[in-house]
Amino acid sequence: MTNKAATITSSTAQKSWIVGFEDRYSRAQRDRKEAAARKQLRKKNTDRLTPSRIDLPVERKQVRTTPKAQKNPSAKKTVRIYSDYAVGLREERRLVKERLENGYSLTWAREIAGKVRSNIHEDGLRSEDNSILKLFVSRIPKGGKARASDDKANLYVPYMSKLLTLDCPYIEANKTFLGAIRLDCDAVFASPDGCLNALRELVKQESIPHLPHIITGDLMPDGTYRNPHFIFMLPYGKAVWNNFEDERCRAQPVRLFDGVSRGLCRATLGIGVDPAAPRVTMRMKNPLSPIWHTMTPNTSEFLTLSEYARCVDTRSSFDDLVRHAAVVQSGMGIKPSNIAFNVLHDRAKVILRQWHFNADPRIAGTRERLADHLYIELSAHAKDTGLSDVGVSAVVGKVSEYMATEFDPKRLEKTGKARHRLMHVVDGLEGLAARQKIGAEHSAATRKSKTMEKLLAAYSAALDRGEHVSVERLASLARVSRSAAYRSFEACQQICLARSIVKKVGTTTEVSE
């Protein structure tokens, strides 16, 4: 199985900065090769002067080898001891040479992204004749700092050589200078061309300004194209500085980067982009790895963050994105989807609170494992509460991912703000005043309900103690205002009296407020 990097050239001429970037890239490669050749020449000259030297020693130890040497301290022999680092470096040099000469080969079975893979071969380097992939290479930290692995959740430094690291399936781009926006798509397309057609339709509808510069996905033996990553590259020299340990670093560009990422995500929810995927971690499928099928459909159109901000909605919050993703991907419609989301969201908060305070082991794993456990519990709750629509499973999945991502034990005791709970009510309303009126009515009803609960609890407790309760006394016991107690005093008397009669009769009933 071979996954090639397909370049789809745009009809528009490449911008001049791309040409200048390729010139700088080629010049840097040439300088590195010349520096390596000079270093090799110096090493050969040194080896001629000291023939016994095999590699760089890390430690020298003086030992006495004969009884004669013990009597004569000047007669000593130097023994060189080599470290694991020196041995590994020599092995990496051999692997680099073999990779350049013979290409990439995976002959043994290896599990990558939940699938056992083998018999993969690819000649050469993908970035040799591709300016976009060269730009991507420039966004990866140099050797010894680039983190990669076969698993996107656990990255480490596998090689000192950047060339070998760029063969790993998952990689982390430079997080200090954010130069790429990555969207994680959970959809399965009939083919790579089907994925491209879906993106072209979004460009035609002006949902996104242009095609992604890089598309990297898993090409299956049956021809389907699974879980691609869409990568939008920022122009060379326009990366966002993201190092708040330095007081000179400004927060506004980083917030703009995050806002543009959310805007692009909002525009592509219809084709399966995951809104819960982190945006600033810079972890992604490596488009240079022979494991994946890579396309570069856009080689000419590049926008800065400010230009992107004029094309997409940067105001969407994480909660808003997840709720709209549930609407789009469940196919239930905005009202039933948002109501189901509210029910499942409230239940998830109860479950997480119970797990946390009971020290349940299910809450101690990774975010992915926590989302899986939540999905099982919420699916059972949805079935028990009658949420049996076909699309409810998609809503359950979105709520599970959202709550697992946003889970913070410190916030369990805080109520927080109920944002977007009325999304299905305010959808389509014109103007801010109408939306605010709906929100105010909802807040007033919620406060009234909570106040009534406090008054009923205080009045019932006073009756159980045989205490005479006045309006002022009730307000004091319930810790509410006197005006609220006056408005609800008569209702409290009626409800509590009805409840006490029911208890004497020995039957159970529900009295509506």
Side-chain angles (χ1 to χ4, degrees):
M1 180 178 176
T2 303
N3 290 328
K4 294 291 184 182
T7 305
I8 304 170
T9 307
S10 174
S11 58
T12 310
Q14 289 186 342
K15 290 190 175 181
S16 58
W17 74 265
I18 275 284
V19 179
F21 164 76
E22 286 193 292
D23 290 341
R24 288 190 294 271
Y25 189 92
S26 301
R27 193 183 313 119
Q29 277 190 322
R30 185 171 60 252
D31 292 343
R32 283 195 296 270
K33 289 179 181 179
E34 291 177 356
R38 289 194 297 269
K39 183 177 179 181
Q40 188 68 16
L41 182 61
R42 287 196 302 269
K43 185 176 182 300
K44 287 182 179 179
N45 294 333
T46 306
D47 289 343
R48 276 196 219 100
L49 298 176
T50 41
S52 62
R53 180 170 176 171
I54 299 175
D55 203 344
L56 293 174
V58 298
E59 182 181 349
R60 292 187 178 183
K61 191 174 181 181
Q62 303 290 341
V63 297
R64 296 168 183 171
T65 56
T66 62
K68 183 177 180 180
Q70 295 176 2
K71 295 179 182 179
N72 185 7
S74 61
K76 295 180 181 179
K77 182 179 178 181
T78 300
V79 178
R80 290 177 170 81
I81 302 175
Y82 303 96
S83 68
D84 294 338
Y85 173 80
V87 175
L89 196 60
R90 185 168 55 185
E91 177 65 15
E92 277 198 19
R93 292 192 190 118
R94 185 189 66 80
L95 291 175
V96 169
K97 182 179 179 182
E98 185 177 317
R99 173 69 173 89
L100 293 173
E101 292 177 353
N102 304 325
Y104 176 91
S105 293
L106 178 62
T107 54
W108 66 90
R110 201 163 97 197
E111 184 175 351
I112 300 172
K115 177 186 171 185
V116 178
R117 305 167 193 267
S118 62
N119 299 325
I120 298 176
H121 179 80
E122 186 171 301
D123 293 325
L125 301 174
R126 289 187 173 185
S127 59
E128 281 178 334
D129 301 318
N130 193 307
S131 59
I132 300 298
L133 293 183
K134 287 178 181 178
L135 181 61
F136 181 84
V137 171
S138 70
R139 303 287 162 87
I140 303 299
K142 293 183 179 180
K145 296 181 181 178
R147 302 202 308 157
S149 74
D150 292 350
D151 179 15
K152 65 179 179 181
N154 301 299
L155 300 184
Y156 58 94
V157 179
Y159 303 102
M160 297 299 293
S161 168
K162 187 174 179 178
L163 184 141
L164 296 177
T165 303
L166 288 171
D167 281 337
C168 295
Y170 292 96
I171 200 164
E172 182 181 73
N174 195 331
K175 293 194 297 183
T176 305
F177 294 95
L178 308 176
I181 300 173
R182 184 222 63 194
L183 303 181
D184 191 347
C185 183
D186 292 335
V188 178
F189 298 92
S191 64
D193 288 338
C195 177
L196 273 173
N197 291 335
L199 288 166
R200 288 192 180 108
E201 188 65 26
L202 292 178
V203 175
K204 183 179 179 181
Q205 298 170 1
E206 298 184 352
S207 299
I208 55 177
H210 56 69
L211 290 173
H213 300 100
I214 302 174
I215 303 173
T216 302
D218 198 357
L219 183 60
M220 308 302 289
D222 60 357
T224 57
Y225 197 51
R226 295 176 178 266
N227 307 114
H229 284 186
F230 306 139
I231 303 174
F232 294 80
M233 303 296 294
L234 296 180
Y236 186 77
K238 299 295 183 181
V240 177
W241 191 16
N242 181 35
N243 180 19
F244 291 108
E245 295 180 359
D246 193 317
E247 60 182 10
R248 296 172 298 173
C249 181
R250 297 186 297 124
Q252 180 60 29
V254 180
R255 286 198 295 265
L256 181 59
F257 179 91
D258 186 61
V260 169
S261 300
R262 284 186 272 109
L264 288 171
C265 179
R266 174 71 177 270
T268 51
L269 288 177
I271 61 173
V273 169
D274 181 15
R279 293 172 289 277
V280 191
T281 59
M282 303 305 289
R283 297 185 179 190
M284 61 191 74
K285 284 185 172 75
N286 181 10
L288 291 105
S289 173
I291 300 298
W292 311 119
H293 180 277
T294 297
M295 300 180 287
T296 54
N298 181 6
T299 61
S300 61
E301 298 174 272
F302 292 86
L303 299 180
T304 63
L305 286 178
S306 300
E307 292 169 335
Y308 275 121
R310 291 194 288 269
C311 302
V312 297
D313 183 8
T314 61
R315 298 169 296 177
S316 299
S317 65
F318 181 35
D319 188 8
D320 186 28
L321 283 176
V322 175
R323 287 175 180 270
H324 275 88
V327 173
V328 172
Q329 296 173 19
S330 67
M332 295 173 60
I334 187 169
K335 184 173 181 178
S337 173
N338 201 52
I339 291 175
F341 195 101
N342 292 338
V343 172
L344 296 170
H345 180 264
D346 293 341
R347 180 58 185 168
K349 288 195 293 186
V350 174
I351 293 172
L352 288 174
R353 189 177 290 109
Q354 291 175 349
W355 287 355
H356 174 69
F357 290 111
N358 294 333
D360 195 294
R362 285 175 288 188
I363 210 167
T366 62
R367 301 287 182 183
E368 290 78 10
R369 294 293 299 165
L370 179 58
D372 292 341
H373 293 313
L374 274 176
Y375 185 87
I376 295 172
E377 293 291 327
L378 293 179
S379 297
H381 181 70
K383 185 177 180 180
D384 294 340
T385 53
L387 296 175
S388 57
D389 193 281
V390 177
V392 168
S393 60
V395 181
V396 171
K398 294 305 174 187
V399 174
S400 302
E401 293 174 0
Y402 171 66
M403 295 302 292
T405 303
E406 289 291 285
F407 172 67
D408 184 1
K410 296 179 181 179
R411 296 164 57 184
L412 290 180
E413 296 293 345
K414 300 179 181 180
T415 57
K417 296 182 179 180
R419 297 185 183 277
H420 305 290
R421 295 184 68 87
L422 301 178
M423 185 178 71
H424 58 286
V425 180
V426 301
D427 183 63
L429 290 180
E430 296 291 338
L432 180 61
R435 292 172 176 265
Q436 289 178 336
K437 181 180 178 182
I438 295 293
E441 292 173 353
H442 173 73
S443 299
T446 303
R447 288 195 301 270
K448 184 178 179 180
S449 176
K450 291 181 178 179
T451 301
M452 193 63 180
E453 290 176 3
K454 293 179 181 179
L455 290 169
L456 287 173
Y459 198 90
S460 298
L463 288 181
D464 292 340
R465 294 192 301 268
E467 181 181 347
H468 174 71
V469 182
S470 64
V471 178
E472 292 78 6
R473 177 62 177 163
L474 180 60
S476 176
L477 292 174
R479 296 183 179 180
V480 299
S481 65
R482 289 186 180 184
S483 59
Y486 271 106
R487 285 193 301 267
S488 305
F489 186 72
E490 185 177 351
C492 282
Q493 287 180 320
Q494 294 175 356
I495 293 172
C496 290
L497 180 60
R499 287 179 177 175
S500 63
I501 293 174
V502 170
K503 288 180 181 178
K504 291 178 182 179
V505 174
T507 59
T508 58
T509 185
E510 291 293 331
V511 181
S512 173
E513 295 181 2

